[in-house]
Amino acid sequence: MPRPTVTPRPTAAQLVYGSCTVICSTLAMLLLSQTSSGVGIAIIALAALALGLLVAMTVPMPKSRVVAVNRPAAQAGETVTATVTAPSQAPVPAASSIAAAASERPVHERAAS
């Protein structure tokens, strides 16, 4: 028996973008066309629905997740090598040199008004 094809469900972004497009485009077309006939309103509503569907379908779908496969630890006889680098040792200034640098420049504060 053949497997039925499963279509992906729409994401929240697709629903939001499509709905906003339908609402905004309907309002804009109704206001710009100033139509009052039932046929004109129906055509505008159908055009807005088609535009909303187009926008919703062009929103990119999320990528499928890749599941990592558990691999067994190294077998007996296999050699595992790893390269570890030591963190760089940056010189730390002494507290006396920090205090001397701070005393060279006076602090100018604004008076509270």
Side-chain angles (χ1 to χ4, degrees):
M1 179 171 209
R3 294 178 78 181
T5 58
V6 179
T7 57
R9 299 182 73 157
T11 62
Q14 287 176 317
L15 292 174
V16 169
Y17 285 141
S19 300
C20 288
T21 301
V22 169
I23 293 168
C24 292
S25 61
T26 302
L27 289 175
M29 286 189 279
L30 284 173
L31 291 173
L32 291 174
S33 69
Q34 297 178 354
T35 186
S36 59
S37 68
V39 175
I41 293 172
I43 291 173
I44 288 175
L46 287 175
L49 285 173
L51 186 62
L53 182 64
L54 178 71
V55 167
M57 297 310 289
T58 56
V59 173
M61 293 290 289
K63 305 244 188 253
S64 60
R65 296 181 186 178
V66 177
V67 178
V69 178
N70 289 336
R71 291 181 39 200
Q75 301 293 329
E78 288 185 49
T79 306
V80 177
T81 59
T83 305
V84 179
T85 58
S88 63
Q89 294 291 330
V92 178
S96 60
S97 64
I98 294 174
S103 65
E104 292 174 3
R105 290 182 284 144
V107 176
H108 299 285
E109 294 182 4
R110 284 192 159 171
S113 22

